[in-house]
Amino acid sequence: MKKVFVSLEYPGEAVGRLAGKYNVVVFREERLPTRKELLEGAAGSSAVISTVADAIDKEFIDLLPDLRIVSNCGVGYENVDVAYATERGVMVTNTPNVLTETTADLAWALMISVARRVVEADTYVRSGKFKTWHPSLLMGRNVHGKTLGVFGMGRIGSAVARRAAGFGMRVLYHNRRRTEASEKETGAEYAEFPRLLEESDFVVIASPLNEGTRGRFGAEEFRKMKRGAIIVNVGRGPIIKEAELAAALEEGAIWGAGLDVYEKEPEIHPGLPGLPNTVLLPHIGSAARETREDMIDMAVTSVELALDGKTPEHLVNPGVLENLK
Ligand code: DGY
């Protein structure tokens, strides 16, 4: 019986579909597997269902001679050495689409929470400080009517932009390439990167991590932004130079930040948690029950297809088809 290793336990019934047909081994701890646990758990597998936190590198792939598919449960897959997997005839799949709207919702939760100081206000009430209404108590900034700048106009960026219509916002976006379909869908206007920084009241990062986006936001970019601007990151942590963000927030170069992802996740730059103008979340962009069930369902379907000798729909390395074992 072929072995399938699942590197974490997921909600829903999808993984159960594999039982009986395959030898399914699930890492059931409520924490990530260590490197040793990952390698030992996956040994002998034909399929692995992994997460963004698992390094599926050359060493990992070389240790699994029967490996046919790495089904990464998430839209991002920068944790997988895709080029090497392709060379070794290993399919790599991800779980796009099902998490788009959920992640866009969270970007808005961050925008509104930072602008209207929701978390700070909640802490204020819970700590018994709310004694009287006062006109200048916990004043924030408006969201409606402002300019939203979306960095990375892919599926999630477009979904973030679409929501802006309800808030009467102007939307700018910056992307590697102009995307006319998104412009039509959202009414967003393409802006060169400096203009996006200079004119946006909210900058939302929704791009994947690649050599073009790594470290793209640092001191110089924060200086170009409006002093009242808020930056939100639901893409990948290393797109922002976190130490430089902490300094910019401290100095008041920008007004606030809402982060769901971090440069050296799960570590957070020590300058950030002490700042009241930040809202910091533990990478929960797609963490809605229905969405997580849809993600694992998609990841399991990819495994079923690959092990049946078929081509999964969300193959990120189609070049592998020429190298299949
Ligand atoms: C994704 O889907 O990429 C999420 O960030 C979880 O990895």
Side-chain angles (χ1 to χ4, degrees):
M1 212 183 239
K2 287 178 180 158
K3 177 175 169 185
V4 178
F5 178 67
V6 187
S7 76
L8 284 176
E9 198 167 10
Y10 288 87
E13 310 300 320
V15 173
R17 293 208 306 265
L18 299 168
K21 194 161 178 204
Y22 301 108
N23 167 25
V24 181
V25 176
V26 180
F27 184 79
R28 294 194 190 276
E29 306 289 325
E30 280 183 22
R31 61 172 175 81
L32 297 171
T34 61
R35 178 74 180 166
K36 188 165 175 275
E37 287 167 335
L38 182 72
L39 296 179
E40 284 175 5
S45 295
S46 298
V48 169
I49 297 183
S50 54
T51 73
V52 68
D54 303 320
I56 309 296
D57 51 14
K58 189 169 182 298
E59 180 195 28
F60 182 97
I61 293 167
D62 281 343
L63 281 172
L64 305 183
D66 298 330
L67 189 61
R68 187 164 183 89
I69 176 168
V70 173
S71 177
N72 212 48
C73 194
V75 67
Y77 49 86
E78 72 278 2
N79 56 305
V80 183
D81 186 338
V82 177
Y84 192 63
T86 308
E87 191 185 316
R88 296 302 309 267
V90 176
M91 297 189 224
V92 180
T93 54
N94 68 342
T95 61
N97 307 325
V98 287
L99 49 73
T100 300
E101 302 298 329
T102 307
T103 308
D105 287 348
L106 194 85
W108 275 84
L110 282 168
M111 286 165 62
I112 297 171
S113 302
V114 177
R116 298 301 306 273
R117 302 172 65 178
V118 171
V119 176
E120 227 185 315
D122 178 87
T123 306
Y124 183 85
V125 172
R126 285 173 202 271
S127 58
K129 289 189 183 150
F130 182 33
K131 303 291 182 209
T132 176
W133 183 87
H134 191 279
S136 46
L137 178 63
L138 286 158
M139 284 189 300
R141 307 185 78 84
N142 275 331
V143 179
H144 69 271
K146 297 289 181 71
T147 297
L148 166 65
V150 177
F151 180 80
M153 197 64 147
R155 284 176 286 249
I156 295 172
S158 297
V160 170
R162 204 173 343 103
R163 284 158 172 72
F167 285 77
M169 294 172 89
R170 175 171 81 121
V171 185
L172 300 175
Y173 78 96
H174 183 73
N175 205 36
R176 259 193 303 201
R177 294 177 222 95
R178 271 187 76 157
T179 135
E180 279 168 23
S182 294
E183 288 177 20
K184 256 199 205 125
E185 187 199 349
T186 66
E189 183 190 336
Y190 179 80
E192 293 299 338
F193 190 47
R195 179 170 167 232
L196 184 96
L197 297 173
E198 284 157 18
E199 293 187 19
S200 300
D201 299 293
F202 293 84
V203 172
V204 174
I205 300 173
S207 66
L209 180 65
N210 53 46
E211 284 327 301
T213 61
R214 186 182 292 278
R216 197 72 191 276
F217 287 79
E220 197 184 321
E221 286 69 32
F222 300 129
R223 263 196 304 276
K224 285 195 182 130
M225 287 169 67
K226 294 182 178 179
R227 286 185 87 79
I230 289 169
I231 190 163
V232 164
N233 191 2
V234 292
R236 283 293 185 253
I239 296 170
I240 293 183
K241 293 176 183 155
E242 226 165 84
E244 295 178 26
L245 172 64
L249 289 165
E250 181 93 56
E251 289 158 13
I254 61 172
W255 199 75
L259 307 177
D260 186 42
V261 287
Y262 303 89
E263 200 174 352
K264 295 189 187 126
E265 220 166 289
E267 275 171 48
I268 297 178
H269 186 275
L272 289 172
L275 297 172
N277 48 346
T278 57
V279 173
L280 307 174
L281 304 181
H283 199 150
I284 54 166
S286 56
R289 173 167 287 274
E290 310 91 307
T291 299
R292 283 285 153 82
E293 289 183 6
D294 289 347
M295 287 166 71
I296 188 64
D297 187 72
M298 190 177 265
V300 167
T301 300
S302 296
V303 167
E304 290 171 325
L305 289 169
L307 295 186
D308 271 358
K310 299 185 183 127
T311 305
E313 187 181 353
H314 302 292
L315 187 64
V316 302
N317 60 341
V320 75
L321 299 176
E322 289 165 22
N323 304 339
L324 286 184
K325 297 171 194 167

